[in-house]
Each structure stands twice: as structure tokens, then as C-alpha cells.
Amino acid sequence: MRTLLAALYAPLFFLGFVGLTCWLLATGHSPFWLLPLLLVAIAVSGMAERLIPWEPVWNKDHGDTARDIAHALVNEASNIVSILAIPLLAALLPASGLWPSHWPFVAQLALAIGIADFGITLAHYASHKSKWLWRLHAPHHSVERLYGFNGLMKHPLHQAIEMFGGLSPLLIMGLPQTIAWALAVAVSIQLMLQHSNVDMRIGLLRYVWAIAPSHRFHHIRSARHGDVNFGLFTSLWDVLLGTARFSGPPIRAGDIGIDGRPDYPRGYAAQLAEPFTGR
């Protein structure tokens, strides 16, 4: 049973929640229903982490749960505001007519995911190469455990940078608001899978799908060994950048964090201030 759940969890989690999102939006339901859907996804993620954990100690609170909730609430709220602003942004941008609105809803979402994956991956890669961007990105790497919910833990300014990288080309193409809602859910679901504490066994998919089995290498404490696997949805851009890594010693408790910064702030407000006041 454990082996079957380890093999099926990730595909069913992604296709189930993203598929239900597509159905809700394509059939004219209000985006309001996406919030309870995400809450259910968080609950399912937490349940799976307790049924088949990768690292059992990561299921225990490290004094970080309240902070991670604060990060998630702020960042998800900023996503909602950004999507609500799309009609205004569309009015300010020249109409390009490039968006294939005649495509099926799922095909439009797949296109949006592909383009956003490219922009967000490059923004993420740049955040490990630029000292200034790294200061904004560091709160995400300061975590002492990996579990689904802290995939949503980011400094709001860094989230804005990644959103700009991923959404700008889509807005220029004329991204519809309904597809933007679906993309936001898909990104949230993917982030949960990337940072999940579930013992996933996805076979050859690990070479193309950027979820926990490969993304854990990205959180290695060492900067030299952790500058890998920047992709959000796929490993394609990492292969082209030469930053893909698919094998190595298992990443366990004590292997993640920021090398040389055991003193990195843990509180929410302190993490917001750290890029501007810390070393």
C-alpha cells in the first residue's frame, strides 16, 4: 500500500486539484471556490506527509509554523490582488492578439505554465547569482525542514520579482483572467509538491518534473552543491543551463539551510527586514 501511494500521490495530487480548478473555471464557477480548494490541498498534503513521510522529523513543528502561515497568507493575498489587476493592466498594454483564446481551457493553461516556468526559473536562477536578489531569496532557504506548506514561504518582494518574470510575457500576449486564476492554483500546487515531505517514488518522471525528489537537492546547505534544480514545473531549463541534478546522497534533516548563517532570523517580521538590515 505504501509503495502504491508513493507512486500515485504526486500525479493524483497535481492532476486532481489542477483538473478540478480547470473544470470550475471553464464552467463559469466563481474563483471564490479556489480558496477552499487550496485549503483542501494543504490538508491533503499534510495528511500524506504523515502517512508516508520522507523525513519523519520534518513533520514536527520547528517553531516555524506560525511564520510560514504568515508568509503564505501575505503571498497568496498578493497573488489575488495581482490577478484582480489584470483587466487594468490589459487596458494599459497594447493589444497584441497573440493569446490563443480559441484553444481548449486546458491547452491554454498548459501554454501559460510553459511560459511562466521559463520566466520564473530564470528569475530564480538570477536570485542565486546576484547578491542583492539573494538577500531577498534567502528567507526561503533559511528553512530547517521541507514540508508542503513552506513552499509558499517567500519574501514578498522576491515573490513579486518571480511573478514579474513569469507573468510579464503572458500579460503582453493577452492572458485571460480565468487562465491566470488557474495558473495561480497550479503554481501553488506545484510548490507544495516541490517542498513536500512525502516519500514519492515517481520513476523516470523525476528527470522532467521538478518536484520533491529532485528539488530537495536545491535546498542543500552548501551553496556550491545547492545551486541546482531551479525549475518550477520542469527540469528542461536546468538541463539547458547545466544546473540539473537528479541523484546523490538522500537529503535529510540537518542537510538544508544557509551555510554560515545559523543565526538567520526565524520570525516573520525579522525575515522581512533581514535583506535590508542584515549581513
Side-chain angles (χ1 to χ4, degrees):
M1 183 63 181
R2 180 187 175 98
T3 302
L4 182 63
L5 185 56
L8 295 179
Y9 169 71
L12 290 180
F13 186 82
F14 186 86
L15 293 175
F17 284 106
V18 175
L20 186 53
T21 296
C22 290
W23 177 80
L24 286 169
L25 294 172
T27 54
H29 287 77
S30 169
F32 167 81
W33 292 105
L34 301 181
L35 178 57
L37 188 67
L38 275 179
L39 293 176
V40 172
I42 291 170
V44 171
S45 176
M47 187 183 307
E49 288 173 335
R50 279 149 183 81
L51 287 174
I52 50 170
W54 169 258
E55 180 64 283
V57 72
W58 284 348
N59 282 336
K60 298 178 181 179
D61 183 277
H62 285 46
D64 53 4
T65 302
R67 178 203 66 198
D68 292 350
I69 290 174
H71 275 291
L73 289 175
V74 170
N75 291 335
E76 289 302 302
S78 69
N79 284 340
I80 292 172
V81 171
S82 299
I83 294 170
L84 290 175
I86 283 179
L88 174 61
L89 294 172
L92 297 175
L93 293 170
S96 66
L98 294 175
W99 190 261
S101 300
H102 58 286
W103 287 11
F105 192 96
V106 173
Q108 292 185 56
L109 176 59
L111 176 63
I113 286 175
I115 294 172
D117 185 42
F118 173 70
I120 292 172
T121 298
L122 289 186
H124 190 183
Y125 177 80
S127 299
H128 282 249
K129 304 305 175 183
S130 160
K131 290 182 179 180
W132 169 241
L133 290 178
W134 167 252
R135 291 170 73 91
L136 292 175
H137 185 44
H140 181 69
H141 279 270
S142 70
V143 296
E144 298 174 325
R145 61 174 175 144
L146 292 177
Y147 70 115
F149 196 58
N150 69 8
L152 307 176
M153 177 203 161
K154 298 181 180 182
H155 195 288
L157 289 180
H158 190 264
Q159 162 137 319
I161 291 169
E162 287 192 336
M163 286 182 62
F164 179 81
L167 284 180
S168 293
L170 293 172
L171 292 174
I172 292 171
M173 292 175 67
L175 175 73
Q177 193 174 42
T178 52
I179 302 299
W181 285 118
L183 177 61
V185 172
V187 168
S188 296
I189 295 297
Q190 178 67 11
L191 286 171
M192 287 186 220
L193 285 172
Q194 272 200 334
H195 300 83
S196 176
N197 189 29
V198 172
D199 184 11
M200 303 176 193
R201 307 298 173 94
I202 57 172
L204 295 178
L205 278 176
R206 67 181 297 141
Y207 297 105
V208 294
W209 193 13
I211 57 175
S214 59
H215 190 72
R216 291 187 189 112
F217 292 115
H218 179 71
H219 281 268
I220 293 176
R221 185 179 299 275
S222 163
R224 183 167 64 91
H225 293 106
D227 275 358
V228 296
N229 299 351
F230 298 97
L232 175 57
F233 284 97
T234 74
S235 300
L236 170 63
W237 310 116
D238 281 299
V239 171
L240 295 177
L241 288 168
T243 56
R245 180 181 176 184
F246 303 112
S247 62
I251 308 305
R252 298 294 184 183
D255 293 334
I256 65 171
I258 303 176
D259 194 25
R261 287 303 310 271
D263 61 331
Y264 199 89
R266 295 186 177 188
Y268 179 70
Q271 288 192 344
L272 294 188
E274 178 69 10
F276 311 100
T277 62
R279 63 182 176 87

